[in-house]
């Protein structure tokens, strides 16, 4: 099933030609009519005349999150205020918030992207979609909501919190699809067990669209096996519009709507494009954005791009799982460590539960990393020797994958904090 087969199955060369035409128009307009982009391009010594192929995108200067902060609230908007029909605000981890604005056209292409995505992973009429992302300033709730409505599904705008009621609604209304963070789905699973709900017997759920947090392939396998559902990655950030792209039913990367977004994957050190399939930092150019265009915006997400046609019949390129963020990377005694690597390693140890926390400290000028790990109820034992052996095994696995020594502390089931929204699993208290 395709939502827009003409675009989704367009030969890659034709898509690149389309992207080039869109890019050329965008650069022309911004250079001529927008102070910020005009100045940025002048500083970089580039003008629209230099853009004569899609590869020439590499001549254009980068944009950074800091640009949005510096121009808060709306100095980067390129349309008159009365053409902006919605705002979303992201609070960010440090400093000023960032504001994004949408014209009516922006909301339309955002919903179009989601309609293609939801169709590609088999969500459509007849489905009851529970949206358990936050509704409000965050883009997750409303984004998924309008996408699901567009494809003809019935939407339950549950938002976050009140887990017991969420589970009751899932049962009472026969929810078939949930959109939420991966950690919240884990939390729902645990809470359901406590309420005596047998997930496979009592729930009609068949799919989960998981995003807003990095998660691993081993987490997917675990959720799919224990819940008897299929889990799909949902990707997108407020700078792009919000959540936009899901994996198709093949589950091999999220199909990107190439007519809407141009993706480059760049070597994180040199800024040069890497070969398709190799990991690098994702840089995006939004080809259709009206209120707040984005040219070569540095996402800070590390991923891969696959440009080969997919088994599902789509030719649109696919971004792989986000393996880390260039700015979330922890440097432990000079070695780069990503929290996602730690998750990946832990999830492959069958005795390990679904909760863990990473603590980084500095003592006597030495970095120390400690990981607290919750053990599954059935694997937890009072025998100190058993627990010590398990701890040593997890430490050895982490050391093998990360090349850095990690102290592991085992925790009883239910001992670590739970999160309803975005999980904060890393506490780095080093003074830099
Ligand atoms: Zn596909």
């Amino acid at each position: 099933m395709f939502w827009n087969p003409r675009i989704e199955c367009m030969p890659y060369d034709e898509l690149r030609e389309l992207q080039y035409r869109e890019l050329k128009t965008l650069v022309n307009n911004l250079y001529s009519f927008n102070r910020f982009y005009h100045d940025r391009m002048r500083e970089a010594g580039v003008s629209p005349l230099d853009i004569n192929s899609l590869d020439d995108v590499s001549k254009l200067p980068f944009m950074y999150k800091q640009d949005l902060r510096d121009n808060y609230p709306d100095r980067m908007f390129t349309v008159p205020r009365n053409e902006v029909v919605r705002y979303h605000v992201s609070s960010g981890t440090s400093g000023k918030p960032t504001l994004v604005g949408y014209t009516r056209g922006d909301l339309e292409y955002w919903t179009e992207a989601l309609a293609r995505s939801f169709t590609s992973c088999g969500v459509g009429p007849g489905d009851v979609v529970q949206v358990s992302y936050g509704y409000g300033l965050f883009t997750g709730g409303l984004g998924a909501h309008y996408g699901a409505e567009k494809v003809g599904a019935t939407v339950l705008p549950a938002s976050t919190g009140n887990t017991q009621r969420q589970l009751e609604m899932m049962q009472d209304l026969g929810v078939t699809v949930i959109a939420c963070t991966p950690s919240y789905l884990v939390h729902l699973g645990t809470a359901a067990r406590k309420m005596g709900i047998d997930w496979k017997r009592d729930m009609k759920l068949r799919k989960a669209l998981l995003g807003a947090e990095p998660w691993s392939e081993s987490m997917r396998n675990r959720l799919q096996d224990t819940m008897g559902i299929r889990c799909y990655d949902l990707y997108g950030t407020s700078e792009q519009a919000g959540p936009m792209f899901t994996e198709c039913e093949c589950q091999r990367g999220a199909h990107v709507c190439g007519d809407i977004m141009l993706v480059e994957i760049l070597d994180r050190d040199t800024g040069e494009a890497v070969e398709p399939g190799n990991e690098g930092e994702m840089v995006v150019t939004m080809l259709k954005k009206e209120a707040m265009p984005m040219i070569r915006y540095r996402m800070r997400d590390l991923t891969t791009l696959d440009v080969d046609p997919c088994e599902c019949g789509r030719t649109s390129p696919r971004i792989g799982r986000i393996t880390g963020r260039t700015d979330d990377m922890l440097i432990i005694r000079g070695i780069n460590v990503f929290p996602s690597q730690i998750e990946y390693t832990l999830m492959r140890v069958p005795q390990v539960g679904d909760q863990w926390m990473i603590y980084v400290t500095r003592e006597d000028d030495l970095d120390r990393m400690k990981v607290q790990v919750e053990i599954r109820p059935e694997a937890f034992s009072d025998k100190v020797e058993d627990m010590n052996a398990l701890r040593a095994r997890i430490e050895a696995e982490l050391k093998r994958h990360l090349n850095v020594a990690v102290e592991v502390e085992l925790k009883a089931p239910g001992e670590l904090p739970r999160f309803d929204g975005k999980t904060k699993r890393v506490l780095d208290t080093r003074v830099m």
Side-chain angles (χ1 to χ4, degrees):
M1 273 286 286
F2 302 99
W3 182 262
N4 188 335
R6 190 183 69 82
I7 298 279
E8 293 174 77
C9 304
M10 178 181 272
Y12 192 53
D13 287 346
E14 269 178 54
L15 177 66
R16 283 180 59 86
E17 181 59 31
L18 176 77
Q19 289 178 318
Y20 165 62
R21 288 198 307 270
E22 298 272 8
L23 179 71
K24 182 98 181 154
T25 309
L26 178 70
V27 170
N28 262 326
N29 285 341
L30 292 177
Y31 189 82
S32 309
F33 301 116
N34 182 268
R35 169 62 52 196
F36 173 86
Y37 288 96
H38 183 90
D39 290 351
R40 210 24 99 78
M41 285 186 228
R42 286 288 296 267
E43 281 163 26
V46 52
S47 86
L49 296 175
D50 297 309
I51 306 301
N52 299 305
S53 74
L54 192 58
D55 289 334
D56 286 339
V57 69
S58 65
K59 296 175 180 169
L60 294 165
F62 292 119
M63 276 177 64
Y64 302 88
K65 183 102 178 168
Q66 193 59 37
D67 290 320
L68 305 185
R69 294 204 188 98
D70 290 348
N71 292 286
Y72 180 84
D74 60 357
R75 285 198 295 278
M76 294 195 52
F77 285 23
T78 52
V79 296
R81 184 74 68 93
N82 63 6
E83 288 179 28
V84 175
V85 298
R86 192 185 310 161
Y87 291 133
H88 279 287
V89 178
S90 94
S91 55
T93 44
S94 61
K96 273 189 202 163
T98 54
L99 176 76
V100 287
Y102 305 76
T103 62
R104 198 157 294 285
D106 288 335
L107 292 181
E108 270 165 27
Y109 83 74
W110 182 14
T111 306
E112 163 76 17
L114 281 160
R116 289 185 210 168
S117 295
F118 288 179
T119 306
S120 80
C121 64
V123 177
D127 275 311
V128 181
V129 180
Q130 179 156 334
V131 178
S132 301
Y133 286 118
Y135 277 68
L137 294 175
F138 174 56
T139 53
L142 286 169
H145 181 110
Y146 285 113
E149 273 189 3
K150 182 83 172 178
V151 296
T154 308
V155 183
L156 178 63
S159 197
T160 54
N162 203 338
T163 297
Q164 188 179 336
R165 198 180 63 185
Q166 299 244 6
L167 288 166
E168 284 163 6
M169 288 191 295
M170 285 175 86
Q171 287 183 285
D172 296 346
L173 303 177
V175 168
T176 56
V177 179
I178 189 164
C180 63
T181 61
S183 57
Y184 193 59
L185 186 60
V186 169
H187 181 64
L188 284 171
T190 312
R193 269 199 300 281
K194 279 192 193 138
M195 287 165 68
I197 296 169
D198 178 333
W199 197 277
K200 287 183 181 168
R201 186 194 63 206
D202 301 334
M203 293 287 189
K204 288 212 171 69
L205 196 75
R206 52 185 199 96
K207 287 170 195 287
L209 311 174
L210 305 178
E213 275 170 13
W215 56 302
S216 62
E217 203 56 31
S218 42
M219 169 84 109
R220 163 154 45 209
N221 292 336
R222 178 177 282 203
L223 287 168
Q224 294 194 151
D225 290 347
T226 55
M227 294 183 163
I229 60 172
R230 300 268 287 167
C231 298
Y232 303 88
D233 205 7
L234 171 58
Y235 181 78
T237 68
S238 63
E239 294 89 355
Q240 290 157 317
M244 290 183 98
F245 309 113
T246 68
E247 292 171 306
C248 65
E249 293 196 275
C250 303
Q251 294 183 319
R252 289 208 204 102
H255 281 281
V256 165
C257 304
D259 55 325
I260 291 173
M261 182 168 92
L262 173 65
V263 179
E264 298 171 81
I265 305 291
L266 305 182
D267 184 292
R268 53 195 300 181
D269 299 318
T270 65
E272 303 281 327
V274 301
E275 289 295 313
N278 290 330
E279 187 183 82
E281 181 184 338
M282 175 163 41
V283 173
V284 301
T285 298
M286 301 306 291
L287 298 168
K288 285 190 166 39
K289 236 167 179 271
E290 294 172 344
M292 203 171 134
M294 290 280 154
I295 291 188
R296 299 200 91 201
Y297 182 77
R298 298 196 66 150
M299 299 298 302
R300 300 298 184 194
D301 285 332
L302 294 171
T303 186
T304 52
L305 189 71
D306 188 344
V307 298
D308 293 330
C310 182
E311 273 175 37
C312 72
R314 287 174 183 78
T315 50
S316 42
R318 285 164 287 160
I319 46 172
R321 203 173 264 295
I322 305 299
T323 49
R325 283 179 58 75
T326 55
D327 51 358
D328 277 353
M329 186 179 70
L330 298 162
I331 302 178
I332 310 292
R333 281 172 244 153
I335 294 171
N336 299 342
V337 174
F338 291 99
S340 56
Q341 288 175 295
I342 295 175
E343 180 195 86
Y344 182 80
T345 311
L346 292 177
M347 286 289 99
R348 288 158 66 109
V349 179
Q351 291 91 341
V352 168
D354 297 312
Q355 302 295 330
W356 65 94
M357 283 288 294
I358 301 164
Y359 296 90
V360 186
T361 53
R362 182 165 291 162
E363 287 169 29
D364 298 322
D365 293 315
L366 263 186
D367 296 328
R368 284 187 65 215
M369 183 156 66
K370 183 168 88 178
V371 181
Q372 291 181 335
V373 181
E374 237 179 64
I375 299 304
R376 291 188 168 280
E378 57 275 23
F380 198 76
S381 157
D382 289 329
K383 277 201 206 138
V384 178
E385 315 87 80
D386 290 355
M387 288 294 98
N388 281 346
L390 176 60
R391 197 193 65 217
R393 216 184 95 212
I394 299 172
E395 283 181 348
E397 281 297 304
L398 286 168
K399 168 90 196 213
R400 195 164 72 81
H401 277 99
L402 308 175
N403 287 319
V404 65
V406 182
E407 186 192 340
V408 169
E409 189 182 341
L410 302 186
K411 293 283 185 187
E415 223 181 321
L416 286 178
R418 259 59 177 172
F419 305 89
D420 270 8
K422 269 197 175 191
T423 303
K424 188 159 177 55
R425 294 197 194 273
V426 183
L427 263 179
D428 188 348
T429 53
R430 289 175 295 180
V431 183
M432 290 302 178

